[in-house]
Amino acid sequence: MSEQTIIGSLRVKTGFAEMFKGGVIMDVVNAEQARIAEDAGATAVMALERVPADIRAQGGVSRMSDPDMIEKIMAAVSIPVMAKVRIGHFVEAQILQALGVDFVDESEVLTPADENFHVDKHAFTVPFVCGARELGEALRRIGEGASMIRTKGEAGTGNVVEAVRHARSVLGGIRALQAMSRDELMTAARDLKAPYELVLYVHENGKLPVVNFAAGGVATPADAAMMMQLGLDGVFVGSGIFKSGDPSKRAQAIVKAVTHYDNPDILAEVSRNLGEPMVGINIDTLPEEELLATRGW
Amino acid sequence: MKIGVLALQGAFREHKQAFLRLGAEVTEVRLPSHLKGLQGVIIPGGESTTMAKLMSAYGLDTALGDFYAAGGALWGTCAGAIAVSVEIVGYPEQPRLNLLDISVERNAYGRQVASFEADLQIEGLKRPFHAIFIRAPRIARIGPGIRVISRFAADPVMVTQGRLMATVFHPELSGDDRVHRYFLEKVVSKSLTQRF
């Protein structure tokens, strides 16, 4: 192209994330599932070797997926393809960028590669999404260059309770900052362990500077609509679709539920006869060391 | 002026805010009944396949066609430009509204890592417009009735045809409302929807 262009800028990266709003991003493990997700109306797919429910069941170290498998999924669908790297694993991220993946999820679902440092996401042209349990964590990830935030929830449980806790914590934190007077913001930044400029942005705008999605335990259309009504911008569904009885039907229902989240008549209609949902896990029964949300800081 | 923003999926909120800043009355459109009384509707950027499915699920595809036929104005940005086109190169089965006589190629500028910003000269605007292209479609062919309002490199990136407009970039992300104003002044002004 002859004209002057800029690629990989923060505006291009965060602007791309804006296009996912009101949409559902689905975990898929092969090209066939990716096509089912696209046909059901997914706005993007997350390519990974094992969905969180299986990672949980099988244990062991969980890493970035095989590039060959990711490329097969990229070739199978026209919608954007995301893939996960371990927390702090900047080389896995370099590999995904080289493959041309559209979005990188620096994810607590995989086994962390670094217990102290997350990836410097400003160093990449590919945009990143990161998980957060509370506002300070969200702002730290944005400070590192994340273009999109999602709740961590508790992936692979089919139990929405942790996603709700994290959504309320982030959104409640935003409301609290908004209500503060300006001279209280530096102390708030100290308490949140978050960059002052981002605290100021949230105070002035009443929202994060990037798109904010729900993730980790969404299994039904009602779960998805609840996250939207709480004030999130869209939904990731991991194990909830392909671990259920009728993935295609459930995927379509969740897509409709996210668009029509405030229309109970449509929610009632799409919630009918979806077959078996994934078998959930009661999070109280999980031992501390099996919780994924506590990975990263 | 009463403007509707198709709010099925994508960057609809940014468009809504831009039109509110310009003093328009703005409604979010999710069902056919929400089109009543509108003069112009914008189909935002997002995922074109997702939007096509959600449009047909509740009859909005037909309703938008009727809205245009009854004299309403339509503007599609990015995925919305794909939705209003008559041809999607390589995806003949993908549902579309079949209104604007252009052929579009999806993701023709590359995947997300190739998304870019660039300054555009737009007909009727004095200063260049800083445009953001995200996995943008390319307008590969324009019909005889199409007016090209802006080009990037050799390709048309903003076009109009009567009460229809398409942009393959995202004016709603630039924080500059001049393209929105153009739509209100040059396109919606032709709307005849008192009849709708």
Side-chain angles (χ1 to χ4, degrees):
Chain A
M1 271 172 264
S2 56
E3 266 95 324
Q4 191 87 36
T5 61
I6 309 165
I7 62 159
S9 63
L10 201 56
R11 246 205 308 200
V12 163
K13 293 195 283 187
T14 56
F16 179 40
E18 302 284 343
M19 299 308 139
F20 293 126
K21 279 187 304 195
V24 184
I25 299 166
M26 303 179 191
D27 278 4
V28 298
V29 300
N30 55 42
E32 190 203 336
Q33 287 188 355
R35 276 188 288 265
I36 292 171
E38 181 176 45
D39 286 343
T43 50
V45 290
M46 176 77 70
L48 70 178
E49 256 151 20
R50 297 182 288 174
V51 294
D54 289 333
I55 291 174
R56 213 172 258 296
Q58 294 160 12
V61 175
S62 194
R63 311 178 180 89
M64 178 191 80
S65 298
D66 184 331
D68 195 57
M69 169 268 183
I70 295 171
E71 277 187 340
K72 280 188 183 132
I73 289 174
M74 287 165 66
V77 293
S78 64
I79 56 177
V81 176
M82 300 184 167
K84 289 183 192 288
V85 299
R86 287 178 264 177
I87 289 175
H89 207 315
F90 50 87
V91 174
E92 286 186 346
Q94 290 162 5
I95 292 170
L96 292 185
Q97 178 167 287
L99 291 176
V101 161
D102 296 295
F103 231 100
V104 172
D105 183 5
E106 186 180 18
S107 178
E108 69 284 358
V109 168
L110 306 185
T111 311
D114 191 323
E115 293 189 332
N116 289 312
F117 303 104
H118 286 70
V119 173
D120 169 20
K121 293 165 274 287
H122 287 296
F124 290 80
T125 52
V126 67
F128 279 71
V129 54
C130 290
R133 283 161 298 175
E134 36 84 22
L135 182 58
E137 191 175 13
L139 296 180
R140 287 191 293 277
R141 295 294 84 77
I142 296 166
E144 291 161 356
S147 302
M148 181 177 189
I149 292 295
R150 55 172 176 75
T151 61
K152 284 184 171 172
E154 194 54 40
T157 60
N159 188 339
V160 82
V161 66
E162 291 301 308
V164 170
R165 190 192 317 281
H166 300 161
R168 285 201 179 272
S169 171
V170 171
L171 297 165
I174 290 172
R175 287 188 286 268
L177 275 190
Q178 240 186 321
M180 281 181 190
S181 70
R182 210 177 148 116
D183 56 9
E184 295 169 322
L185 296 181
M186 186 58 84
T187 302
R190 179 199 65 192
D191 294 343
L192 287 166
K193 301 190 181 71
Y196 176 77
E197 288 68 27
L198 293 175
V199 168
L200 182 62
Y201 178 93
V202 172
H203 169 70
E204 287 176 345
N205 295 280
K207 64 183 207 55
L208 296 179
V210 303
V211 166
N212 185 13
F213 266 51
V218 174
T220 67
D223 289 348
M226 181 185 187
M227 301 312 292
M228 296 299 289
Q229 287 197 29
L230 284 174
L232 296 177
D233 296 317
V235 174
F236 284 87
V237 186
S239 321
I241 289 173
F242 289 100
K243 285 284 164 193
S244 74
D246 188 342
S248 172
K249 195 169 179 192
R250 182 167 295 264
Q252 289 178 49
I254 293 175
V255 168
K256 287 181 187 162
V258 168
T259 293
H260 299 284
Y261 66 91
D262 58 356
N263 186 329
D265 293 330
I266 291 182
L267 294 175
E269 172 203 320
V270 302
S271 298
R272 278 172 210 278
N273 301 316
L274 293 180
E276 280 296 302
M278 76 176 278
V279 178
I281 298 175
N282 196 335
I283 287 158
D284 295 340
T285 65
L286 282 176
E288 185 86 28
E289 63 274 15
E290 286 183 23
L291 294 175
L292 303 177
T294 54
R295 295 168 168 181
W297 58 279
Chain B
M1 261 185 259
K2 283 177 106 170
I3 301 296
V5 180
L6 191 69
L8 297 175
Q9 193 270 317
F12 53 86
R13 214 177 305 147
E14 287 68 23
H15 280 296
K16 183 178 176 180
Q17 284 155 0
F19 284 124
L20 288 173
R21 284 194 294 271
L22 293 171
E25 216 178 300
V26 188
T27 311
E28 291 184 7
V29 174
R30 289 189 174 81
L31 293 169
S33 59
H34 302 159
L35 291 169
K36 211 171 159 47
L38 301 179
Q39 290 157 286
V41 170
I42 170 133
I43 305 176
E47 216 24 67
S48 66
T49 53
T50 305
M51 262 191 265
K53 291 202 164 86
L54 287 164
M55 267 195 240
S56 67
Y58 294 97
L60 261 169
D61 42 0
T62 316
L64 282 167
D66 293 347
F67 170 76
Y68 174 72
L74 286 176
W75 170 20
T77 51
C78 194
I82 297 172
V84 296
S85 73
V86 298
E87 189 193 7
I88 307 169
V89 178
Y91 297 90
E93 306 293 314
Q94 185 170 329
R96 57 200 176 276
L97 297 177
N98 251 319
L99 298 172
L100 184 65
D101 190 10
I102 57 173
S103 304
V104 293
E105 239 178 286
R106 292 179 56 198
N107 307 326
Y109 295 95
R111 302 192 75 96
Q112 170 57 18
V113 287
S115 290
F116 62 97
E117 301 179 34
D119 282 335
L120 299 179
Q121 297 296 334
I122 295 179
E123 186 193 298
L125 301 188
K126 288 196 188 83
R127 285 174 294 108
F129 187 89
H130 191 72
I132 301 173
F133 293 79
I134 293 171
R135 280 171 56 102
R138 192 171 77 90
I139 299 177
R141 180 198 63 85
I142 54 170
I146 297 287
R147 196 158 143 209
V148 178
I149 310 297
S150 181
R151 285 181 192 273
F152 177 75
D155 301 326
V157 292
M158 176 171 173
V159 299
T160 61
Q161 180 183 33
R163 287 175 280 108
L164 297 170
M165 178 165 127
T167 51
V168 301
F169 57 98
H170 289 280
E172 78 283 7
L173 297 180
S174 290
D176 177 342
D177 299 333
R178 287 178 296 161
V179 175
H180 290 80
R181 185 185 299 277
Y182 186 102
F183 178 64
L184 294 181
E185 289 176 358
K186 301 280 169 63
V187 185
V188 181
S189 57
K190 296 183 184 135
S191 129
L192 314 156
T193 41
Q194 297 86 305
R195 290 190 278 130
F196 192 76

